[in-house]
Amino acid sequence: MNKEQLQMLLMAKPDLFDGLKHHDQFMDWYPGNMHVINAFGRYAHQLQKSGRRDYYSCYAIRERIRWDSMVSEEGTEYKISNNVTPYIARILMAFSPELDGIFRTKEQRSEDQEET
């Protein structure tokens, strides 16, 4: 996936991120980190093709990317924030029909919503 494809997806599905917070942070982050989104996608496809699980944790894939980054690159910090992970999961499921449902999603509570 490239930036243009992602931008087209976001225009076609304006409600893709409904219920998520940190929208501005993701929008600032993704243009310089398409390689992270694509790595996430490779791991998700690998998992889906294995047929071992119907769904999986997007957070486990995030940690794998962090691990790969830590052991293979010198002087870098995490390339993927906790806050952008739900965005990547939704993007991949919307972009690749074969990944639809591989990650369970939930609405995040915004800072101004009270706990019930």
Side-chain angles (χ1 to χ4, degrees):
M1 173 185 313
N2 60 42
K3 283 185 241 183
E4 292 77 22
Q5 289 172 312
L6 178 51
Q7 290 167 344
M8 287 175 46
L9 175 68
L10 296 178
M11 285 190 295
K13 296 184 177 275
D15 60 343
L16 186 61
F17 302 143
D18 283 359
L20 295 180
K21 50 188 175 178
H22 308 295
H23 183 77
D24 291 341
Q25 181 183 356
F26 175 78
M27 296 306 285
D28 290 341
W29 175 86
Y30 91 81
N33 290 284
M34 290 302 298
H35 62 288
V36 176
I37 295 171
N38 288 323
F40 203 107
R42 281 191 302 276
Y43 290 135
H45 278 98
Q46 183 180 21
L47 177 69
Q48 188 271 332
K49 287 177 185 173
S50 77
R52 293 187 181 149
R53 305 276 304 264
D54 292 333
Y55 61 91
Y56 198 69
S57 169
C58 59
Y59 298 104
I61 293 177
R62 178 194 64 210
E63 294 305 318
R64 167 114 190 238
I65 292 170
R66 285 179 171 174
W67 173 265
D68 289 349
S69 170
M70 183 178 64
V71 298
S72 67
E73 300 172 13
E74 245 180 80
T76 59
E77 289 294 318
Y78 295 141
K79 296 186 180 315
I80 183 168
S81 161
N82 296 353
N83 297 338
V84 302
T85 305
Y87 290 87
I88 297 170
R90 284 166 174 76
I91 287 166
L92 292 175
M93 290 190 297
F95 187 75
S96 299
E98 65 276 10
L99 294 179
D100 188 31
I102 196 166
F103 304 116
R104 290 194 174 173
T105 59
K106 61 182 178 181
E107 227 177 89
Q108 294 182 349
R109 195 174 26 251
S110 69
E111 290 87 11
D112 60 329
Q113 286 179 311
E114 293 182 28
E115 276 191 52
T116 56

